[in-house]
Amino acid sequence: MAAVSALDGLIHALRRLPGVGVKTASRMAYHMLQHDREGAQLLSQALHEAVGQVRHCELCHTFTIPSICDTCLDDSRDNARLCVVETPADQSAIERTAAFKGLYFVLMGRISPLDGFGPKDIGLEKLIDRASDGVVQEVILATNFTAEGEATAHVLTEALKKRGVQVTRLARGVPVGSELEYVDLGTIAHAMVDRRNA
Amino acid sequence: MAAVSALDGLIHALRRLPGVGVKTASRMAYHMLQHDREGAQLLSQALHEAVGQVRHCELCHTFTIPSICDTCLDDSRDNARLCVVETPADQSAIERTAAFKGLYFVLMGRISPLDGFGPKDIGLEKLIDRASDGVVQEVILATNFTAEGEATAHVLTEALKKRGVQVTRLARGVPVGSELEYVDLGTIAHAMVDRRNA
């Protein structure tokens, strides 16, 4: 019935969002229809526009509307250093630190055999081309320090070193502001191994 | 810049969904653009259609596309009994029990002074009109057993009794399948007060 299907269709469509099950989707649908129809209309339009306009940067693979993103076009950045991150969110976290002025390569994922993501899905070939262009002198791997992020870093390291590219990895260690008593043992062990001269 | 704004606009619009903060909204936007553009397009359309088509049933106030919903039009239901619920989700929970064959009135909310929802916002006048139509003989209050749901039930009871309508409330007590040891004390106390002959 049409009566049921527009509401059910919305609930069904909301479930395509990551982390949204049928109860959350129902709650969202009821809320939007009852209290925020303007927001629903806005979201409808924003989705439509983003799908139509947003694509991947030809150089760094991040989301962009022109064919090359603003960061890659920025002349003031150090193009000898290339930082590899999993997602645009990770890139934006690094940008907020203001500790890095080089360029990025965004994998848009990580190697994860269980989810069916292999080296092709993270644009390994594209990264190798970019890193071997003669301008890039150092590739800094800033994938997450999770099992999958570490595995991805390992695969990238092997592939890049084979082509003579200098590869570094973000330092592992005790987070700033933390007390040793509450830091997990794996982190302390790594911090011990990677200790540096004071 | 246009490049940034389509993505930022999507993240901003996703935050209108209940319970979605900036981090979740970013994750959703990245996921949809990277892995499920079809889903994003589908959601855009579903939102547009639902906003355009879904309205409130003239009789029971629930979401519907025709002016009167299918449940209200169903001749086989007992129109002497009117069950009052807070949301369509509550209505659907009661429907799934198959323990009620009467009609419904959906408040689409609850009285909540802190959120600025008063008796007008839950359609109190409409409910009173409906309950005093001479056909309805019993109003069953099935608002939630939360502070706000109980307050709403109290207000409705006062207003309806004043007009000579018989008002009942769902039984409070120990949930089916539970062990007393793990049931909260307020529930046990209510179950004790409302005890019935075995």
Side-chain angles (χ1 to χ4, degrees):
Chain A
M1 260 164 307
V4 177
S5 68
L7 184 57
D8 279 359
L10 175 57
I11 293 172
H12 190 76
L14 282 164
R15 293 189 60 189
R16 300 285 279 259
L17 294 169
V20 173
V22 66
K23 288 221 168 183
T24 306
S26 306
R27 196 164 50 88
M28 285 175 166
Y30 295 147
H31 174 89
M32 297 309 269
L33 288 171
Q34 184 65 17
H35 301 296
D36 194 12
R37 289 193 175 223
E38 192 200 34
Q41 199 64 267
L42 191 82
L43 178 54
S44 168
Q45 210 179 324
L47 283 160
H48 183 74
E49 281 174 13
V51 168
Q53 297 175 21
V54 176
R55 51 180 165 163
H56 293 292
C57 171
E58 285 174 16
L59 289 177
C60 77
H61 219 220
T62 197
F63 291 127
T64 173
I65 290 180
S67 53
I68 296 180
C69 76
D70 297 328
T71 310
C72 286
L73 286 174
D74 187 347
D75 284 342
S76 71
R77 302 191 73 107
D78 174 8
N79 57 12
R81 257 139 275 286
L82 188 68
C83 180
V84 178
V85 292
E86 293 184 16
T87 65
D90 297 335
Q91 176 182 3
S92 118
I94 293 176
E95 278 296 283
R96 286 201 301 275
T97 67
F100 179 71
K101 287 289 164 212
L103 296 173
Y104 292 90
F105 188 89
V106 185
L107 301 173
M108 290 291 174
R110 62 208 66 84
I111 290 175
S112 169
L114 287 178
D115 300 325
F117 288 111
K120 270 183 194 163
D121 301 294
I122 57 170
L124 181 58
E125 288 304 315
K126 214 167 164 181
L127 170 59
I128 288 171
D129 287 351
R130 177 88 186 271
S132 342
D133 65 356
V135 180
V136 174
Q137 284 166 28
E138 178 187 1
V139 172
I140 299 149
L141 299 178
T143 55
N144 286 325
F145 285 75
T146 57
E148 292 171 345
E150 293 281 21
T152 306
H154 179 76
V155 170
L156 297 180
T157 305
E158 294 298 305
L160 290 165
K161 275 194 175 162
K162 219 181 280 176
R163 283 153 187 89
V165 181
Q166 193 201 344
V167 185
T168 56
R169 178 90 170 105
L170 283 195
R172 262 184 309 218
V174 180
V176 173
S178 61
E179 297 176 58
L180 280 186
E181 186 182 347
Y182 301 107
V183 172
D184 73 292
L185 302 185
T187 298
I188 296 181
H190 277 301
M192 186 60 77
V193 172
D194 296 348
R195 67 189 180 278
R196 58 187 192 83
N197 292 322
Chain B
M1 259 166 303
V4 177
S5 68
L7 184 58
D8 278 0
L10 175 56
I11 293 172
H12 191 75
L14 283 164
R15 293 191 59 189
R16 299 286 280 259
L17 293 170
V20 174
V22 67
K23 286 221 168 182
T24 307
S26 305
R27 197 164 48 88
M28 286 174 165
Y30 295 146
H31 174 88
M32 298 308 270
L33 288 172
Q34 183 66 16
H35 301 296
D36 194 11
R37 289 194 175 220
E38 192 200 35
Q41 199 64 268
L42 190 83
L43 177 55
S44 168
Q45 209 178 326
L47 283 160
H48 183 73
E49 281 174 13
V51 168
Q53 297 175 19
V54 176
R55 49 180 166 163
H56 293 293
C57 171
E58 285 175 15
L59 290 176
C60 79
H61 219 219
T62 197
F63 291 126
T64 172
I65 289 179
S67 53
I68 295 179
C69 75
D70 298 327
T71 311
C72 287
L73 286 174
D74 186 348
D75 284 342
S76 71
R77 303 191 72 107
D78 175 7
N79 57 12
R81 261 141 272 285
L82 189 69
C83 180
V84 178
V85 291
E86 293 183 17
T87 65
D90 296 336
Q91 176 182 3
S92 118
I94 294 176
E95 278 295 283
R96 285 200 301 274
T97 67
F100 180 71
K101 286 290 163 209
L103 296 173
Y104 291 91
F105 188 89
V106 185
L107 302 173
M108 289 291 174
R110 61 210 66 83
I111 290 175
S112 170
L114 287 179
D115 300 323
F117 288 110
K120 270 183 195 164
D121 301 294
I122 57 170
L124 182 59
E125 289 303 317
K126 214 168 167 183
L127 171 59
I128 288 170
D129 288 351
R130 177 91 187 269
S132 346
D133 64 358
V135 181
V136 173
Q137 284 167 30
E138 179 187 0
V139 172
I140 299 149
L141 299 178
T143 53
N144 286 326
F145 285 75
T146 56
E148 291 172 346
E150 292 281 22
T152 306
H154 179 76
V155 170
L156 297 179
T157 305
E158 294 297 306
L160 291 165
K161 275 194 174 162
K162 218 182 278 175
R163 284 152 185 92
V165 181
Q166 193 200 342
V167 185
T168 57
R169 178 90 169 104
L170 282 196
R172 261 184 310 219
V174 180
V176 173
S178 61
E179 296 177 58
L180 281 186
E181 185 181 351
Y182 300 107
V183 172
D184 72 293
L185 301 184
T187 297
I188 296 180
H190 277 302
M192 186 59 78
V193 172
D194 295 349
R195 68 188 178 278
R196 61 188 190 81
N197 293 321

